[in-house]
Amino acid sequence: MSLPENPSPAYAKQPVGKPRIPVVFWLLLTISLSLITGTVLLSNDMKHLRTIDRYFGFDLFSYEVKPPPPKALPRPTPPASVTLPLHAIEPPMAQTASTFLRTWRISGAAMCAALRDAGIQTSDWAAASFNANTFECFFEHSGKREKDQLPTSIFVIVRGDAAGTINNMRVKIVNPETDQNGQLDPNILRIFEVMLSQPQWLDFHEALNAIKNLRDIKEDGFGASITFSREVLNPDRYNFTLSLDAASGPQKRTRNYFSDRTWLPSPEPTAETNPAQPAPASGQ
């Protein structure tokens, strides 16, 4: 008995294939991943979303440009400490105290030259006949005697030492000529103008005005002394003295400290004269 070909019973097995995943599963998976991604991107004030936006340049957000933080200022350098020596705060000792001291800022020879430039024909600066250590220049003029009046006379002398340092300057005038206001003749007054201006001592303010009006005056300051006075017994005679003398202890200490043996001498100022002024009569 023969079997029929290609039998196909109802219970025969079907060929095995890949299992098919439902579409619903993929849809749920997509929704879940979208929710997770959205949660991550939107969390922390969309920090991650902003990072991605800046990285890829989508320009989804407007960003505020913050200025860079200010640089820290350099720390100030602490002040330097100074230690004062003890003697700087100790009270001064009278034995070592000094003081302001005036000095001649012009030599005797330059002073004589300044007088000559102003028309007062003094002699040259040279040793005195009575003492070789004393140097001087002088000017002398005498007028004619008229009736019972004394003749007008002028005597000027600048005296110092061989080094050129001035000791004093003196003027003696007898019966000086004056104008209608009783003021000294300008030709004679010019002598005092030169003597007061050349040392460059500017604190004797009233001296020249007093001399111009023939008034007595005496001023002292920092070792210098200026005097212009009328003789008591001879009212028509006037004496002028300008000298420099360190009398007090502090002045002597200051002068010794700044002596020419230690310091270079100061340059002499240029003698200044007014060429428009008339010159007094030269000595006879």
Side-chain angles (χ1 to χ4, degrees), residues 31-129:
I31 293 174
S32 300
L33 292 176
S34 299
L35 292 175
I36 295 173
T37 303
T39 302
V40 173
L41 294 177
L42 298 178
S43 63
N44 294 331
D45 195 19
M46 296 183 288
K47 176 181 178 182
H48 301 288
L49 182 59
R50 293 175 184 272
T51 301
I52 295 174
D53 176 63
R54 284 194 296 267
Y55 183 81
F56 290 101
F58 294 145
D59 295 332
L60 300 177
F61 302 91
S62 60
Y63 300 98
E64 180 182 357
V65 179
K66 296 183 179 180
K71 296 182 179 179
L73 297 176
R75 299 183 62 181
T77 305
S81 60
V82 178
T83 303
L84 294 176
L86 182 61
H87 65 80
I89 57 177
E90 288 182 341
M93 299 176 61
Q95 295 79 3
T96 59
S98 60
T99 186
F100 291 105
L101 183 68
R102 201 187 306 270
T103 59
W104 293 104
R105 299 193 61 189
I106 186 172
S107 66
M111 186 71 223
C112 298
L115 287 169
R116 287 193 295 272
D117 291 340
I120 300 97
Q121 298 302 319
T122 64
S123 61
D124 292 332
W125 181 256
S129 57

Side-chain angles (χ1 to χ4, degrees), residues 32 63 65 85 89 108 133 150 163 166 173 188 228 230 235 252:
S32 300
Y63 300 98
V65 179
I89 57 177
N133 294 324
L150 292 173
I166 300 174
I173 54 177
I188 303 175
F228 181 81
R230 184 195 308 256
K252 291 180 180 179

Side-chain angles (χ1 to χ4, degrees), residues 170-182:
R170 298 179 182 273
V171 180
K172 185 179 185 67
I173 54 177
V174 179
N175 192 25
E177 297 181 3
T178 58
D179 61 12
Q180 58 183 0
N181 297 321

Side-chain angles (χ1 to χ4, degrees), residues 147-171:
K147 297 181 181 181
D148 296 333
Q149 292 184 350
L150 292 173
T152 299
S153 63
I154 306 170
F155 179 74
V156 180
I157 188 168
V158 180
R159 185 167 289 167
D161 57 22
T165 302
I166 300 174
N167 293 331
N168 58 73
M169 296 189 290
R170 298 179 182 273
V171 180

